[in-house]
Amino acid sequence: MPDEIFQDFWSSIIAPREDLFFAKDVVIPSLVDEIPDQTFYRNDNINTLTISDGVKVIGFDAFSFCYNLKWAKIPASVYEIKEQIFTGCTQLEEICVDPNNDNYCSIDGVLFRKHPFELLRYPPKKRGHSYVVPDGVERIGNGAFEECSELESIEFPTSLLAIESSAFSSCSSLKFINIPDSVTRFGAFILFKCTALTGISFPRNLEIIPEGMLFGCTSLRDVEIPTSVNFIEPLSFIECTNLQRISIPENLTKFYSDCFNECNNLERFDVSPNNLSLCEIDGVLYSKDKKTLVRVPPNYADECFTVPESVCEINDNAFESCRNIVNILLTNNVKSIGDNAFSKCTSIKEIQIPGSVEILGHSDTTEFEETDDDCDTIPTITQQIFNDCMSLENIVIAEDNPKYCSIDGVLYTKDRTQILCFPQGRKQKEYSIPDGVMVIGDYCFFRCTQLQYIEIPSSVKSIGDFAFSYCKNLDQIILHSTLEKGYEMAFIRCDAKIIRKEL
């Protein structure tokens, strides 16, 4: 927008002695060509908005999070409305578009694009608990129904082809959704935090469950994945805290290991016997050849879990949130244990790592996919493998392990030059890192809330990211090292005093 028009814009819209951000009934004058991105972003004072004929473009986020905006009028002259102009306008009741507009229209207070016919924004406070999307609509736009907390049901036409990202995010009263078979395109997080959702009917030809699709749908208990699905993207079912059972169809060959995180009531996986990549034993998910333990359901009932002899790899997040398990028995066939494999196993007090294990965490990928590889692995180091194991007191490494060792229950590399993990459940208040250690690993003392005092020797040359983060009771760190830089991220949310000692 040219400077002179920009100045005229502000002077036209503000009455004498009245600041723009205190105006309740805003009128955008006709001399303005464009409303720039985020012009009224987070303006809580606006109640009504009238855009005069002459305005051609409404910028991205132009009126986002105007929490008290109830009514908006768009003129015939507007030919471009960028995304998310009414995001977070939770009190919006009606959007009116001049009938002479060639590009946009409103039907019963709902904003649409004409070509292609796309539903852009449903006002969150529009009256009624149900809505029927008009025939001919081809696309539900990005965030179109976001935070429409009063809607309980939505019906779609068979003309619908695409549902964009966050389309129904935080529709907290939506109970069931039937997605027609015509839909072939999905954005991410389309049903994010739909906390009342108890059921979903997927399109019959769906091949990919998109990223975060059912994230936080806490009322879901049972999900039947269509047989056509072959891939589940990240975070798809995370925080579905009441999900008890999930069916794995015959064509599903790959998914991200974090997609079932924090499904705390998940009791079992039911796998089609025709699936060529996966199988289940007593509800636990394995690769078809049983060499990889893929996922233990978080609500696995038994206190002791024995890893089968066939398993040589434990997948990322494999035991995540298995709060009932107290003991995990690993065999000498296990060579690799993935990232976050035991995360949030809050009841485990001790774990014994056999001599065969060559990789603890820090895998190159979090995606599970069938491969033809054997058990050979590349040595690496741990990263958050025991995250939030708040009862864990001892990590015991077999003496014949070639890569790792434990000193009094604390995890080190075999040559003792790197300290990798101090168990979060240890009761001791003081700890001195042995001389000779050169590296304190990422997350090494993360959330070790009992510790009050740590002594770091002069041999330490590197301190990893988040190494002492969230050590809320850590009061004092004695640093003998000459280390001056490189540990800026190590002490996030840790208020300990660092006392340097002369060498």
Side-chain angles (χ1 to χ4, degrees):
M1 184 186 296
D3 289 343
E4 63 271 21
I5 296 179
F6 188 80
Q7 291 169 2
D8 287 342
F9 165 56
W10 294 118
S11 60
S12 300
I13 202 168
I14 305 172
R17 299 181 181 179
E18 183 180 21
D19 188 272
L20 171 68
F21 290 95
F22 291 96
K24 291 186 177 180
D25 301 308
V26 173
V27 179
I28 310 292
S30 58
L31 56 86
V32 174
D33 286 333
E34 178 180 351
I35 302 173
D37 295 351
Q38 298 188 324
T39 302
F40 292 87
Y41 185 78
R42 292 193 182 277
N43 188 322
D44 293 347
N45 299 294
I46 300 176
N47 288 335
T48 67
L49 169 68
T50 301
I51 302 174
S52 299
D53 204 40
V55 176
K56 296 180 176 62
V57 178
I58 304 174
F60 175 79
D61 261 346
F63 305 98
S64 287
F65 300 98
C66 293
Y67 294 111
N68 292 308
L69 180 63
K70 295 181 179 179
W71 180 85
K73 182 180 179 181
I74 297 171
S77 57
V78 169
Y79 64 77
E80 183 180 5
I81 297 176
K82 296 183 181 179
E83 286 192 344
Q84 298 179 257
I85 65 164
F86 295 119
T87 294
C89 297
T90 54
Q91 300 302 311
L92 191 61
E93 298 174 0
E94 185 178 12
I95 304 167
C96 298
V97 180
D98 190 302
N100 295 314
N101 192 300
D102 293 331
N103 299 289
Y104 300 93
C105 67
S106 57
I107 302 173
D108 196 22
V110 180
L111 178 63
F112 294 84
R113 188 195 313 274
K114 288 184 176 180
H115 310 291
F117 197 13
E118 177 181 2
L119 194 157
L120 294 177
R121 189 57 168 137
Y122 183 95
K125 283 296 180 182
K126 177 178 166 60
R127 291 184 179 180
H129 298 294
S130 62
Y131 181 68
V132 179
V133 178
D135 287 337
V137 169
E138 296 178 14
R139 185 161 59 192
I140 305 294
N142 191 340
F145 289 87
E146 189 170 13
E147 295 188 281
C148 292
S149 57
E150 296 182 14
L151 274 176
E152 295 179 5
S153 66
I154 303 171
E155 293 183 29
F156 304 105
T158 55
S159 58
L160 189 64
L161 302 175
I163 299 175
E164 303 297 343
S165 296
S166 303
F168 310 103
S169 176
S170 298
C171 288
S172 55
S173 297
L174 190 63
K175 295 179 179 178
F176 185 85
I177 190 163
N178 184 2
I179 302 173
D181 293 340
S182 56
V183 178
T184 57
R185 171 182 164 78
F186 291 92
F189 298 95
I190 63 170
L191 291 161
F192 177 80
K193 297 286 185 180
C194 290
T195 53
L197 194 72
T198 58
I200 179 170
S201 176
F202 295 99
R204 283 180 294 180
N205 295 319
L206 181 68
E207 294 184 355
I208 297 174
I209 294 181
E211 181 179 6
M213 184 175 192
L214 294 162
F215 190 131
C217 293
T218 54
S219 295
L220 274 178
R221 292 182 177 273
D222 192 345
V223 174
E224 195 80 25
I225 298 175
T227 57
S228 55
V229 170
N230 57 53
F231 183 30
I232 302 177
E233 291 191 337
L235 308 175
S236 299
F237 298 94
I238 192 171
E239 291 185 19
C240 290
T241 52
N242 281 304
L243 188 63
Q244 295 178 350
R245 186 188 70 87
I246 191 160
S247 65
I248 304 295
E250 60 186 66
N251 291 314
L252 183 63
T253 59
K254 55 183 179 177
F255 59 86
Y256 279 78
S257 60
D258 63 5
C259 67
F260 301 112
N261 282 10
E262 298 184 52
C263 294
N264 293 338
N265 284 302
L266 186 62
E267 296 175 352
R268 65 178 295 112
F269 295 95
D270 292 327
V271 182
S272 167
N274 297 322
N275 191 299
L276 299 178
S277 300
L278 298 163
C279 71
E280 58 94 1
I281 302 172
D282 296 329
V284 177
L285 196 58
Y286 296 86
S287 60
K288 192 71 172 183
D289 60 9
K290 301 182 180 64
K291 288 184 177 181
T292 301
L293 193 163
V294 177
R295 198 67 164 88
V296 180
N299 202 22
Y300 184 83
D302 295 345
E303 290 187 358
C304 183
F305 186 92
T306 301
V307 175
E309 290 281 344
S310 61
V311 170
C312 64
E313 178 182 2
I314 295 176
N315 203 40
D316 294 353
N317 302 96
F319 288 88
E320 191 269 346
S321 293
C322 290
R323 62 192 182 278
N324 299 323
I325 297 177
V326 176
N327 295 308
I328 297 175
L329 303 178
L330 304 172
T331 72
N332 269 314
N333 294 323
V334 175
K335 290 190 176 182
S336 171
I337 300 176
D339 223 10
N340 288 293
F342 307 109
S343 177
K344 299 181 182 178
C345 288
T346 54
S347 297
I348 294 177
K349 293 185 177 182
E350 180 175 287
I351 189 159
Q352 298 189 17
I353 306 295
S356 56
V357 173
E358 297 178 356
I359 293 180
L360 282 174
H362 202 71
S363 61
D364 294 330
T365 178
T366 56
E367 179 182 334
F368 172 81
E369 184 172 6
E370 181 187 25
T371 67
D372 295 325
D373 297 341
D374 58 20
C375 295
D376 292 338
T377 53
I378 301 171
T380 182
I381 62 172
T382 185
Q383 180 178 333
Q384 284 194 293
I385 188 171
F386 302 110
N387 182 41
D388 285 339
C389 292
M390 303 309 294
S391 297
L392 185 64
E393 298 179 10
N394 290 298
I395 302 169
V396 180
I397 306 294
E399 291 185 4
D400 61 344
N401 190 294
K403 304 298 180 185
Y404 306 98
C405 73
S406 57
I407 303 174
D408 190 28
V410 179
L411 180 62
Y412 290 80
T413 54
K414 188 69 173 183
D415 61 8
R416 303 190 179 195
T417 61
Q418 299 182 47
I419 178 171
L420 301 177
C421 183
F422 187 91
Q424 292 174 327
R426 291 178 78 88
K427 302 297 190 293
Q428 66 194 90
K429 296 180 179 180
E430 298 182 359
Y431 188 71
S432 295
I433 297 173
D435 193 30
V437 169
M438 300 176 66
V439 176
I440 300 174
D442 294 349
Y443 298 91
C444 182
F445 292 90
F446 186 82
R447 210 171 269 148
C448 290
T449 57
Q450 300 294 320
L451 281 173
Q452 298 177 8
Y453 172 96
I454 289 178
E455 190 165 357
I456 299 174
S458 59
S459 56
V460 169
K461 306 300 180 186
S462 172
I463 302 177
D465 291 345
F466 308 102
F468 299 97
S469 291
Y470 294 90
C471 292
K472 64 180 182 181
N473 290 313
L474 189 58
D475 180 61
Q476 197 173 89
I477 295 174
I478 305 299
L479 184 63
H480 292 279
S481 175
T482 56
L483 191 66
E484 295 288 344
K485 296 180 180 179
Y487 56 86
E488 292 82 2
M489 297 292 290
F491 299 100
I492 291 175
R493 298 292 179 92
C494 175
D495 297 326
K497 296 177 183 177
I498 300 175
I499 300 174
R500 290 186 175 273
K501 294 287 186 178
E502 294 295 331
L503 296 178

